[in-house]
Amino acid sequence: DTAVSQTPKYLVTQMGNDKSIKCEQNLGHDTMYWYKQDSKKFLKIMFSYNNKELIINETVPNRFSPKSPDKAHLNLHINSLELGDSAVYFCASSQALRSPLHFGNGTRLTVT
Amino acid sequence: AQRVTQPEKLLSVFKGAPVELKCNYSYSGSPELFWYVQYSRQRLQLLLRHISRESIKGFTADLNKGETSFHLKKPFAQEEDSAMYYCALKSDYKLSFGAGTTVTVRA
């Protein structure tokens, strides 16, 4: 009965490939996010969506394209994967502007 | 611009000893501050938020606006407290994290 679920959990792929990560939340939240956690454990926001509308795009390369088909889903598509894209990607959601975020279990992406 | 600073990358304490994780912030508005914990290879979990003023797993944190700090404290550390701790500041549509502090509690 996971509140924020991401698939896949692990993703290993080669440079130049295109891949997608899916995220779904069943909390009824209006806002969803993607965060990147690098090898040094730094957490950096990539995108936030509110009611399916893009609110924040934090200088992410345009190889990364989020898609929100409805409020409960925020998928992340990555084109032409690079070695530096290797990281753990976390999806999250929140109810209101100042509410805490609820995180998914993360997707560990390894680009070889 | 908002910024969250956690000056300690690593913190090692003995079981039963007090532990304090430092967090300082800069933000022009009224801050909404949180502590998140990440156990090994798991998702981030909310530990505390300053507005609720509660104690979770024996941890407390007090917002000091004069010193722009939100330090996390626990009087008696337990081995299960070993984890990565992140201080975070929420502004509209964005949660900004500090660099994180890895806590190791030794027996």
Side-chain angles (χ1 to χ4, degrees):
Chain A
D1 206 23
T2 309
V4 182
S5 58
Q6 299 177 226
T7 53
K9 192 173 170 69
Y10 299 97
L11 189 51
V12 182
T13 189
Q14 291 184 326
M15 282 173 55
N17 284 349
D18 303 338
K19 290 292 177 187
S20 292
I21 307 172
K22 294 188 175 182
C23 178
E24 176 182 4
Q25 54 96 2
N26 62 7
L27 297 165
H29 288 170
D30 290 336
T31 309
M32 295 185 73
Y33 311 79
W34 277 107
Y35 277 82
K36 180 180 179 180
Q37 185 178 44
D38 65 20
S39 58
K40 295 184 178 178
K41 305 289 187 186
F42 289 126
L43 273 160
K44 190 166 168 52
I45 189 168
M46 300 174 69
F47 302 102
S48 76
Y49 269 72
N50 186 61
N51 282 320
K52 303 192 299 173
E53 298 296 321
L54 178 66
I55 303 295
I56 288 178
N57 178 341
E58 198 78 356
T59 60
V60 177
N62 57 16
R63 297 183 295 105
F64 291 79
S65 52
K67 292 273 191 311
S68 183
D70 54 60
K71 274 185 4 177
H73 295 83
L74 181 61
N75 305 321
L76 185 65
H77 189 74
I78 316 169
N79 289 327
S80 303
L81 277 155
E82 300 177 358
L83 292 176
D85 297 331
S86 295
V88 181
Y89 292 84
F90 285 99
C91 178
S93 71
S94 67
Q95 176 55 45
L97 289 178
R98 293 282 180 121
S99 299
L101 272 63
H102 297 257
F103 284 85
N105 287 325
T107 296
R108 184 172 294 272
L109 172 65
T110 304
V111 182
T112 61
Chain B
Q2 60 199 64
R3 179 176 287 184
V4 180
T5 304
Q6 292 179 251
E8 303 132 333
K9 186 102 176 119
L10 300 168
L11 202 55
S12 182
V13 298
F14 283 106
K15 178 181 171 181
V19 61
E20 181 178 27
L21 287 74
K22 291 187 168 43
C23 172
N24 288 90
Y25 67 91
S26 63
Y27 183 57
S28 56
S30 183
E32 183 78 32
L33 287 154
F34 303 87
W35 277 99
Y36 280 81
V37 60
Q38 186 179 29
Y39 300 102
S40 181
R41 294 205 164 211
Q42 293 186 25
R43 66 182 178 89
L44 284 96
Q45 301 173 44
L46 178 67
L47 185 60
L48 283 174
R49 61 186 301 191
H50 89 269
I51 201 167
S52 62
R53 294 184 145 267
E54 58 189 340
S55 173
I56 305 288
K57 299 184 181 183
F59 285 96
T60 59
D62 289 316
L63 177 62
N64 186 323
K65 289 188 178 180
E67 296 182 358
T68 59
S69 69
F70 188 54
H71 303 327
L72 183 69
K73 300 175 186 178
K74 184 168 182 176
F76 308 104
Q78 303 300 313
E79 288 180 76
E80 56 265 29
D81 296 328
S82 295
M84 183 76 152
Y85 292 81
Y86 290 96
C87 183
L89 186 152
K90 186 108 190 279
S91 61
D92 296 346
Y93 300 115
K94 183 176 173 177
L95 185 68
S96 298
F97 287 92
T101 299
T102 300
V103 173
T104 303
V105 181
R106 294 176 287 168

